[in-house]
Amino acid sequence: MKKMLIVLCLSSVLQAGAQKIAGSDMQLLKQTEDSLAVLCKKMIRDDNPSKRFEADSLFTRTLVRALRIPNSFWYNFDSVITVSQLYAPDSSFRIFTWQYQKDEDYFRQRGAIQMNTQDGSLKLIPLLDGSDFTATPTDSIRTGRNWIGAIYYGEILENTYNNQKYYTLFGYDDNNISSTKKWLEVLHFDEAGNPQFGGRFFDYKDDSLKAPQPAYRFCLEYKKDGRARMVYDAEMNMIIFDHLVSEANDQSKKFTLIPDGDYEGFKWTNGKWVHVNKIFDQQLEDGQAPMPEPLKDDAGNNNEQKLQQQSEKNRAKKKPKGQGF
């Protein structure tokens, strides 16, 4: 219900804002959207990498021209389906993100933040993927110039602490041929209005989990096509994600991690996302004895078939609500 109200409210705000766009400008935006819709499909689906790159470059230039049209902030490019565009809940900005693939082992993201300006002029902040230039992408606060690339999905979460607004973003990255990544990124703007990605927003102190330190953003990396989920559950007011185990009995090998049917999460408390090690705890009635099926053999190795069966069983019983990849 809460999520539906947010969507309806945002839709109403966008409709009201669109009235600020002059009739001739609206027509120009619609025409440009048609061009963008063609380019966005080509830059994802064309078989030729050079053609994808060419379409990506042309898409970027065309989008910037469209956004220069006065009050373009209020125009939602609905038919540009391969590009994510998310509005902040307070309508202070929107963020565009998309992906470029050179080959099956090379994925990089593009992006831009469009600020909501009082006079309808364009304030656009490019996001440049700096993933190639760091071995530890969780180790620092970053700007748009060395952003850790991701396609943002779901909804932007807005929280306030000490009179500062913080926006939590859910990100998806195809990463490479072996693994996929999902990101939690906390964004805020400094006094000059510049975006700051990351910070000490993830707290593991009450858990046995040993998080990599320092952890300025959270990464869930797992086996390619492992279908791990990370979403916001409005009813629980929590971020929920799959607990992962290694098919090779080695948690350090991220490309072997798959969901086992349990869930972890984060709860916003005093300006931090506090880690919750286990979301669902099954309570047995008096006299009811547990009859567990072993998920490991006598040698301590994972039984993949049992893991899959248990995962499907748990998903059907307690699948968290929310939207996401």
Side-chain angles (χ1 to χ4, degrees):
M1 180 62 70
K2 180 180 177 182
K3 183 175 181 179
M4 184 180 297
L5 289 174
I6 292 174
V7 171
L8 291 174
C9 181
L10 180 57
S11 178
S12 299
V13 170
L14 288 177
Q15 290 177 8
Q19 297 177 8
K20 300 177 182 179
I21 304 174
S24 58
D25 287 339
M26 180 65 78
Q27 286 301 115
L28 183 55
L29 281 165
K30 289 179 179 179
Q31 292 172 7
T32 308
E33 181 183 0
D34 291 339
S35 299
L36 290 170
V38 173
L39 289 169
C40 77
K41 292 176 183 177
K42 188 174 182 180
M43 68 185 186
I44 296 295
R45 299 172 182 169
D46 198 290
D47 292 334
N48 189 326
S50 64
K51 294 294 184 181
R52 292 198 298 269
F53 183 80
E54 180 182 338
D56 176 86
S57 179
L58 186 54
F59 174 88
T60 302
R61 297 197 301 271
T62 304
L63 177 63
V64 172
R65 284 201 302 271
L67 296 181
R68 288 197 178 111
I69 295 172
N71 294 302
S72 66
F73 180 84
W74 302 107
Y75 186 84
N76 198 15
F77 297 88
D78 291 325
S79 64
V80 185
I81 58 174
T82 67
V83 173
S84 167
Q85 47 183 319
L86 300 179
Y87 282 85
D90 60 4
S91 300
S92 59
F93 68 92
R94 69 171 161 180
I95 186 165
F96 296 90
T97 49
W98 64 96
Q99 183 166 269
Y100 168 71
Q101 178 185 359
K102 184 176 70 174
D103 54 46
E104 63 181 2
D105 203 38
Y106 183 97
F107 298 87
R108 291 298 176 269
Q109 287 73 41
R110 324 289 203 203
I113 298 174
Q114 182 183 17
M115 304 304 297
N116 182 5
T117 59
Q118 290 187 348
D119 62 359
S121 62
L122 178 62
K123 181 179 179 182
L124 192 66
I125 303 167
L127 302 178
L128 308 178
D129 190 350
S131 302
D132 280 340
F133 309 105
T134 178
T136 51
T138 60
D139 70 349
S140 57
I141 296 174
R142 291 172 175 265
T143 68
R145 298 184 65 84
N146 61 350
W147 166 68
I148 298 299
I151 303 172
Y152 294 128
Y153 67 89
E155 60 186 288
I156 299 176
L157 306 181
E158 179 186 332
N159 292 286
T160 301
Y161 183 71
N162 287 342
N163 297 318
Q164 172 70 59
K165 287 186 177 182
Y166 298 100
Y167 306 91
T168 301
L169 305 165
F170 294 78
Y172 177 88
D173 177 9
D174 263 312
N175 194 36
N176 58 37
I177 194 172
S178 301
S179 71
T180 299
K181 292 180 177 180
K182 287 187 177 177
W183 292 96
L184 284 179
E185 183 80 82
V186 179
L187 165 67
H188 73 279
F189 295 87
D190 63 19
E191 293 181 358
N194 300 312
Q196 304 289 296
F197 291 92
R200 294 299 189 95
F201 297 110
F202 296 95
D203 185 352
Y204 300 86
K205 65 181 181 181
D206 295 328
D207 300 309
S208 58
L209 176 68
K210 301 299 184 184
Q213 295 296 332
Y216 285 81
R217 54 192 53 80
F218 175 73
C219 180
L220 188 72
E221 185 174 358
Y222 53 93
K223 180 180 178 180
K224 199 71 178 178
D225 300 324
R227 303 181 69 179
R229 300 179 76 244
M230 185 162 65
V231 298
Y232 172 68
D233 189 299
E235 291 183 7
M236 299 182 71
N237 193 25
M238 291 182 65
I239 293 170
I240 295 177
F241 59 94
D242 277 295
H243 178 263
L244 304 178
V245 296
S246 172
E247 294 178 307
N249 205 31
D250 186 347
Q251 291 293 114
S252 67
K253 295 179 178 178
K254 303 298 185 183
F255 60 90
T256 70
L257 300 184
I258 59 171
D260 71 346
D262 280 333
Y263 293 98
E264 302 176 53
F266 288 105
K267 183 86 171 176
W268 182 263
T269 306
N270 296 326
K272 292 182 181 292
W273 285 110
V274 178
H275 181 249
V276 179
N277 197 41
K278 191 177 183 64
I279 300 297
F280 301 102
D281 289 306
Q282 185 177 3
Q283 301 295 324
L284 299 177
E285 297 178 1
D286 290 342
Q288 182 183 5
M291 299 291 291
E293 291 184 295
L295 298 183
K296 293 180 181 290
D297 59 25
D298 293 338
N301 299 314
N302 289 320
N303 185 321
E304 186 171 350
Q305 184 178 1
K306 294 285 188 183
L307 278 173
Q308 183 63 30
Q309 291 174 351
Q310 185 63 39
S311 178
E312 294 300 328
K313 224 182 269 185
N314 288 346
R315 284 179 188 279
K317 179 172 60 178
K318 57 187 183 185
K319 185 176 181 180
K321 298 179 180 179
Q323 176 185 355
F325 285 87

